[in-house]
Short mmCIF file of all heavy atoms in Angstrom, two decimals:
data_model
loop_
_atom_site.label_atom_id
_atom_site.label_comp_id
_atom_site.label_asym_id
_atom_site.label_seq_id
_atom_site.Cartn_x
_atom_site.Cartn_y
_atom_site.Cartn_z
N ILE A 238 7.80 19.85 -2.12
CA ILE A 238 7.65 21.18 -1.53
C ILE A 238 7.85 21.02 -0.03
O ILE A 238 7.13 20.27 0.63
CB ILE A 238 6.26 21.78 -1.85
CG1 ILE A 238 6.06 21.92 -3.36
CG2 ILE A 238 6.10 23.13 -1.15
CD1 ILE A 238 4.74 22.56 -3.79
N LEU A 239 8.87 21.71 0.50
CA LEU A 239 9.19 21.63 1.92
C LEU A 239 8.07 22.34 2.70
O LEU A 239 7.54 23.34 2.23
CB LEU A 239 10.52 22.31 2.22
CG LEU A 239 11.73 21.80 1.42
CD1 LEU A 239 12.97 22.60 1.80
CD2 LEU A 239 11.94 20.33 1.62
N ARG A 240 7.72 21.77 3.86
CA ARG A 240 8.39 20.61 4.33
C ARG A 240 7.62 19.32 4.13
O ARG A 240 8.19 18.25 4.06
CB ARG A 240 8.74 20.85 5.81
CG ARG A 240 7.80 20.49 6.85
CD ARG A 240 8.03 21.15 8.18
NE ARG A 240 6.70 21.58 8.54
CZ ARG A 240 6.13 21.38 9.73
NH1 ARG A 240 6.82 20.81 10.69
NH2 ARG A 240 4.91 21.78 9.98
N ALA A 241 6.26 19.41 4.04
CA ALA A 241 5.48 18.17 4.05
C ALA A 241 5.77 17.27 2.85
O ALA A 241 5.65 16.05 2.94
CB ALA A 241 3.99 18.49 4.13
N GLY A 242 6.17 17.85 1.72
CA GLY A 242 6.48 17.04 0.53
C GLY A 242 7.60 16.05 0.77
O GLY A 242 7.70 15.02 0.09
N LEU A 263 8.50 26.36 0.58
CA LEU A 263 7.40 27.32 0.57
C LEU A 263 6.61 27.14 1.85
O LEU A 263 6.36 26.00 2.25
CB LEU A 263 6.43 27.06 -0.60
CG LEU A 263 6.94 27.19 -2.02
CD1 LEU A 263 5.87 26.68 -2.99
CD2 LEU A 263 7.25 28.64 -2.34
N TYR A 264 6.22 28.21 2.49
CA TYR A 264 5.26 28.07 3.58
C TYR A 264 4.12 29.04 3.35
O TYR A 264 4.29 30.05 2.66
CB TYR A 264 5.92 28.29 4.96
CG TYR A 264 6.34 29.70 5.24
CD1 TYR A 264 5.44 30.62 5.77
CD2 TYR A 264 7.63 30.14 4.94
CE1 TYR A 264 5.83 31.93 6.01
CE2 TYR A 264 8.02 31.44 5.18
CZ TYR A 264 7.11 32.33 5.71
OH TYR A 264 7.48 33.63 5.93
N ARG A 265 2.97 28.69 3.92
CA ARG A 265 1.81 29.56 3.76
C ARG A 265 1.83 30.59 4.87
O ARG A 265 1.81 30.25 6.03
CB ARG A 265 0.52 28.75 3.91
CG ARG A 265 0.14 28.01 2.70
CD ARG A 265 -1.32 27.62 2.69
NE ARG A 265 -1.89 27.19 3.95
CZ ARG A 265 -3.13 26.75 4.06
NH1 ARG A 265 -3.90 26.70 3.01
NH2 ARG A 265 -3.61 26.37 5.21
N ASP A 266 1.87 31.86 4.47
CA ASP A 266 1.78 32.91 5.49
C ASP A 266 0.42 32.78 6.18
O ASP A 266 -0.61 32.79 5.51
CB ASP A 266 1.91 34.29 4.82
CG ASP A 266 1.89 35.40 5.84
OD1 ASP A 266 0.79 35.69 6.39
OD2 ASP A 266 2.94 35.97 6.12
N LEU A 270 -2.29 33.76 3.81
CA LEU A 270 -2.45 32.42 3.23
C LEU A 270 -1.71 32.28 1.89
O LEU A 270 -1.87 31.31 1.17
CB LEU A 270 -3.92 32.03 3.06
CG LEU A 270 -4.75 32.00 4.35
CD1 LEU A 270 -6.20 31.66 4.07
CD2 LEU A 270 -4.17 31.01 5.36
N GLU A 271 -0.88 33.28 1.56
CA GLU A 271 -0.10 33.22 0.32
C GLU A 271 1.22 32.50 0.57
O GLU A 271 1.80 32.60 1.66
CB GLU A 271 0.20 34.64 -0.19
CG GLU A 271 -0.98 35.33 -0.82
CD GLU A 271 -1.56 34.58 -2.00
OE1 GLU A 271 -0.79 34.12 -2.87
OE2 GLU A 271 -2.79 34.41 -2.05
N PRO A 272 1.75 31.75 -0.42
CA PRO A 272 3.00 31.04 -0.23
C PRO A 272 4.21 31.98 -0.22
O PRO A 272 4.24 32.96 -0.97
CB PRO A 272 3.07 30.13 -1.45
CG PRO A 272 2.19 30.75 -2.46
CD PRO A 272 1.15 31.55 -1.74
N TYR A 275 11.32 30.16 0.55
CA TYR A 275 12.49 30.37 1.40
C TYR A 275 13.68 29.51 1.02
O TYR A 275 14.76 29.66 1.58
CB TYR A 275 12.15 30.18 2.89
CG TYR A 275 11.66 28.79 3.26
CD1 TYR A 275 12.55 27.79 3.65
CD2 TYR A 275 10.31 28.48 3.22
CE1 TYR A 275 12.10 26.53 3.99
CE2 TYR A 275 9.84 27.22 3.55
CZ TYR A 275 10.75 26.25 3.94
OH TYR A 275 10.31 24.99 4.26
N ASP A 292 3.61 17.14 -2.92
CA ASP A 292 3.09 17.86 -1.74
C ASP A 292 1.83 17.13 -1.31
O ASP A 292 0.93 16.95 -2.12
CB ASP A 292 2.78 19.32 -2.10
CG ASP A 292 2.56 20.18 -0.86
OD1 ASP A 292 2.12 19.65 0.17
OD2 ASP A 292 2.84 21.39 -0.93
N PRO A 293 1.74 16.71 -0.04
CA PRO A 293 0.56 15.93 0.34
C PRO A 293 -0.76 16.68 0.17
O PRO A 293 -1.78 16.07 -0.08
CB PRO A 293 0.79 15.62 1.83
CG PRO A 293 2.22 15.89 2.10
CD PRO A 293 2.70 16.86 1.05
N MET A 294 -0.73 18.03 0.34
CA MET A 294 -1.99 18.77 0.39
C MET A 294 -2.08 19.82 -0.73
O MET A 294 -1.17 20.63 -0.90
CB MET A 294 -2.14 19.48 1.74
CG MET A 294 -1.90 18.60 2.95
SD MET A 294 -2.91 17.13 3.01
CE MET A 294 -4.40 17.75 3.75
N LEU A 295 -3.20 19.82 -1.45
CA LEU A 295 -3.51 20.88 -2.41
C LEU A 295 -4.74 21.58 -1.85
O LEU A 295 -5.86 21.09 -2.00
CB LEU A 295 -3.79 20.28 -3.79
CG LEU A 295 -4.17 21.26 -4.90
CD1 LEU A 295 -3.03 22.23 -5.20
CD2 LEU A 295 -4.56 20.51 -6.17
N ALA A 296 -4.52 22.70 -1.16
CA ALA A 296 -5.63 23.37 -0.46
C ALA A 296 -6.13 24.54 -1.30
O ALA A 296 -6.98 24.36 -2.16
CB ALA A 296 -5.16 23.79 0.94
N THR A 297 -5.59 25.77 -1.07
CA THR A 297 -5.98 26.89 -1.95
C THR A 297 -5.33 26.75 -3.32
O THR A 297 -5.75 27.38 -4.29
CB THR A 297 -5.53 28.24 -1.37
OG1 THR A 297 -4.09 28.27 -1.34
CG2 THR A 297 -6.07 28.47 0.03
N GLY A 298 -4.24 25.98 -3.38
CA GLY A 298 -3.48 25.85 -4.62
C GLY A 298 -2.35 26.87 -4.72
O GLY A 298 -1.55 26.82 -5.65
N GLY A 299 -2.27 27.77 -3.74
CA GLY A 299 -1.24 28.83 -3.81
C GLY A 299 0.17 28.27 -3.89
O GLY A 299 0.99 28.73 -4.70
N SER A 300 0.48 27.27 -3.05
CA SER A 300 1.85 26.72 -3.04
C SER A 300 2.16 26.02 -4.36
O SER A 300 3.25 26.20 -4.93
CB SER A 300 2.02 25.72 -1.89
OG SER A 300 1.64 26.30 -0.68
N ALA A 301 1.22 25.23 -4.84
CA ALA A 301 1.45 24.49 -6.09
C ALA A 301 1.63 25.45 -7.26
O ALA A 301 2.55 25.30 -8.08
CB ALA A 301 0.27 23.55 -6.35
N GLY A 327 -8.40 24.12 -4.78
CA GLY A 327 -7.02 23.99 -5.24
C GLY A 327 -6.95 23.46 -6.67
O GLY A 327 -6.15 23.95 -7.49
N LEU A 349 -12.67 23.87 1.67
CA LEU A 349 -11.73 24.43 2.65
C LEU A 349 -12.53 25.06 3.78
O LEU A 349 -13.64 25.56 3.56
CB LEU A 349 -10.88 25.53 1.99
CG LEU A 349 -10.00 25.11 0.81
CD1 LEU A 349 -9.28 26.34 0.25
CD2 LEU A 349 -9.00 24.06 1.24
N ALA A 353 -8.47 27.86 5.61
CA ALA A 353 -7.96 27.21 4.40
C ALA A 353 -7.39 25.81 4.67
O ALA A 353 -6.47 25.37 3.97
CB ALA A 353 -6.95 28.10 3.68
N TYR A 354 -7.92 25.13 5.67
CA TYR A 354 -7.61 23.70 5.85
C TYR A 354 -8.64 22.89 5.07
O TYR A 354 -9.81 23.28 4.96
CB TYR A 354 -7.64 23.30 7.33
CG TYR A 354 -6.32 23.59 8.00
CD1 TYR A 354 -6.10 24.79 8.66
CD2 TYR A 354 -5.27 22.67 7.94
CE1 TYR A 354 -4.88 25.08 9.25
CE2 TYR A 354 -4.04 22.96 8.52
CZ TYR A 354 -3.85 24.16 9.17
OH TYR A 354 -2.64 24.43 9.74
N ASP A 361 -2.93 19.25 9.57
CA ASP A 361 -1.71 19.85 9.03
C ASP A 361 -0.70 18.73 8.72
O ASP A 361 -0.17 18.08 9.62
CB ASP A 361 -1.11 20.83 10.05
CG ASP A 361 0.03 21.63 9.46
OD1 ASP A 361 1.02 21.02 9.00
OD2 ASP A 361 -0.07 22.87 9.42
N ALA A 362 -0.48 18.52 7.43
CA ALA A 362 0.34 17.37 7.02
C ALA A 362 1.76 17.47 7.57
O ALA A 362 2.33 16.47 8.04
CB ALA A 362 0.36 17.27 5.50
N GLY A 363 2.34 18.68 7.54
CA GLY A 363 3.71 18.85 8.03
C GLY A 363 3.80 18.53 9.52
O GLY A 363 4.70 17.81 9.96
N ASP A 364 2.87 19.06 10.28
CA ASP A 364 2.89 18.80 11.73
C ASP A 364 2.68 17.32 12.02
O ASP A 364 3.32 16.76 12.91
CB ASP A 364 1.80 19.62 12.42
CG ASP A 364 2.18 21.08 12.55
OD1 ASP A 364 3.39 21.38 12.50
OD2 ASP A 364 1.29 21.92 12.70
N PHE A 367 5.96 15.39 11.10
CA PHE A 367 7.17 15.66 11.89
C PHE A 367 6.89 15.80 13.39
O PHE A 367 7.80 16.09 14.15
CB PHE A 367 7.88 16.89 11.32
CG PHE A 367 8.33 16.66 9.89
CD1 PHE A 367 7.72 17.31 8.83
CD2 PHE A 367 9.34 15.75 9.61
CE1 PHE A 367 8.11 17.08 7.52
CE2 PHE A 367 9.74 15.50 8.30
CZ PHE A 367 9.12 16.17 7.25
C1 LIG B 96 1.02 22.94 3.52
C2 LIG B 96 1.10 21.86 2.47
C3 LIG B 96 1.20 22.64 1.21
C4 LIG B 96 0.36 23.85 1.51
C5 LIG B 96 -0.95 23.68 0.82
O1 LIG B 96 2.27 23.45 3.79
O2 LIG B 96 2.14 20.96 2.67
O3 LIG B 96 2.52 23.01 0.86
O4 LIG B 96 0.16 23.89 2.92
O5 LIG B 96 -1.72 24.81 0.96
P1 LIG B 96 -2.11 25.74 -0.26
O6 LIG B 96 -2.60 24.83 -1.34
O7 LIG B 96 -3.19 26.61 0.32
O8 LIG B 96 -0.90 26.52 -0.65
P2 LIG B 96 2.53 24.49 4.97
O9 LIG B 96 2.43 25.88 4.47
O10 LIG B 96 1.64 24.14 6.13
O11 LIG B 96 4.05 24.27 5.31
P3 LIG B 96 4.79 22.97 5.89
O12 LIG B 96 4.81 21.93 4.81
O13 LIG B 96 6.15 23.50 6.20
O14 LIG B 96 4.06 22.50 7.11
#
Side-chain angles (χ1 to χ4, degrees):
I238 299 183
L239 305 178
R240 89 198 134 132
L263 297 171
Y264 70 86
R265 280 200 320 184
D266 182 286
L270 300 177
E271 286 301 314
Y275 61 90
D292 194 331
M294 310 305 275
L295 178 63
T297 64
S300 306
L349 299 178
Y354 275 93
D361 189 301
D364 284 338
F367 297 109

